[in-house]
Amino acid sequence: GAVVSQHPSRVICKSGTSVKIECRSLDFQATTMFWYRQFPKQSLMLMATSNEGSKATYEQGVEKDKFLINHASLTLSTLTVTSAHPEDSSFYICSARGTSGMRYEQYFGPGTRLTVT
Amino acid sequence: QKEVEQDPGPLSVPEGAIVSLNCTYSNSAFQYFMWYRQYSRKGPELLMYTYSSGNKEDGRFTAQVDKSSKYISLFIRDSQPSDSATYLCAMSTSGTYKYIFGTGTRLKVLA
């Protein structure tokens, strides 16, 4: 149980284009989803917290107009990187937090590697 | 000073050894303590989840929390090459769902 999927697993895009990453909780309902960014050999940096049906809360220093987050349902959140630039190349990981019992922990997706050329 | 400190390693041990991984923290409000394992280019996998102080055991893994010392540990018994990964500690307070992660310790178990 507690499976989180991400799609795509890897994406290469050209500078200036937008990329959408999906995060799904497959076997539980997630009222809260989190989006992280991870650079090589570094820890996870929280970008934003999204709750189903409401606006995302962004961490300090994260541009909300650049990283658009939509938490449309209890099982789906999307992150759109708009007008991507090479410095946005990174490993993006989502996590989902359930509503009861053991699902209070954060369960992570497998990550999406974004390369902007 | 970072809220959570973790030695990045790498830590190399022979197969079968007992591994000790540790994190220290500065925020006494942390109540929830987690250990995640992350293989290269993969998402973190939850290993242990503990609330407040004490020990928790699950198979070859034991998590310890010493709130008086602001120190948490993860022990891996009979380590295997498949345990080679980066181990991340994470913590949160009771009033927020936000996790604060350590930088991760890279572990290599040599066959």
Side-chain angles (χ1 to χ4, degrees):
Chain A
V3 179
V4 177
S5 70
Q6 268 184 256
H7 178 79
S9 59
R10 178 177 294 228
V11 59
I12 301 173
C13 70
K14 292 187 175 181
S15 187
T17 60
S18 295
V19 174
K20 179 185 282 189
I21 302 170
E22 290 187 351
C23 177
R24 294 181 185 273
S25 57
L26 299 184
D27 55 355
F28 66 102
Q29 293 186 327
T31 52
T32 306
M33 288 185 171
F34 305 84
W35 286 95
Y36 293 83
R37 187 172 179 176
Q38 187 176 35
F39 291 104
K41 299 185 179 181
Q42 294 189 26
S43 190
L44 285 77
M45 183 189 78
L46 180 65
M47 299 175 64
T49 302
S50 73
N51 291 292
E52 186 263 339
S54 61
K55 290 184 178 180
T57 302
Y58 290 81
E59 294 298 303
Q60 191 174 9
V62 178
E63 299 176 60
K64 61 180 66 177
D65 294 331
K66 182 168 186 60
F67 299 100
L68 301 179
I69 292 172
N70 186 332
H71 194 155
S73 74
L74 286 173
T75 59
L76 173 64
S77 177
T78 60
L79 168 68
T80 301
V81 183
T82 63
S83 187
H85 288 95
E87 57 266 31
D88 298 324
S89 298
S90 189
F91 194 51
Y92 292 88
I93 309 176
C94 72
S95 71
R97 179 184 178 277
T99 57
S100 63
M102 289 295 291
R103 305 297 192 239
Y104 283 126
E105 302 89 5
Q106 288 188 34
Y107 293 89
F108 284 82
T112 297
R113 184 158 303 280
L114 170 64
T115 303
V116 184
T117 60
Chain B
Q1 181 190 9
K2 291 182 181 178
E3 275 193 288
V4 179
E5 298 275 3
Q6 187 175 8
D7 188 332
L11 174 64
S12 294
V13 300
E15 182 175 359
I18 296 175
V19 176
S20 173
L21 303 166
N22 311 294
C23 288
T24 59
Y25 62 94
S26 58
N27 187 349
S28 58
F30 285 140
Q31 295 276 11
Y32 298 92
F33 304 91
M34 285 66 64
W35 285 96
Y36 286 85
R37 177 175 63 195
Q38 185 177 25
Y39 292 110
S40 182
R41 299 174 183 267
K42 300 292 184 183
E45 172 193 7
L46 179 65
L47 288 176
M48 301 290 281
Y49 177 94
T50 54
Y51 172 72
S52 194
S53 284
N55 295 357
K56 186 174 184 178
E57 187 173 321
D58 184 1
R60 295 186 296 113
F61 299 93
T62 299
Q64 286 186 352
V65 175
D66 182 348
K67 292 191 70 178
S68 62
S69 302
K70 298 191 180 68
Y71 188 88
I72 69 170
S73 301
L74 176 71
F75 297 96
I76 307 174
R77 290 182 297 280
D78 187 25
S79 56
Q80 303 295 310
S82 58
D83 294 327
S84 298
T86 295
Y87 290 80
L88 297 150
C89 64
M91 309 176 189
S92 70
T93 65
S94 60
T96 177
Y97 310 139
K98 182 176 170 180
Y99 284 12
I100 306 299
F101 280 89
T103 53
T105 299
R106 281 200 301 140
L107 171 67
K108 295 182 181 179
V109 181
L110 306 173

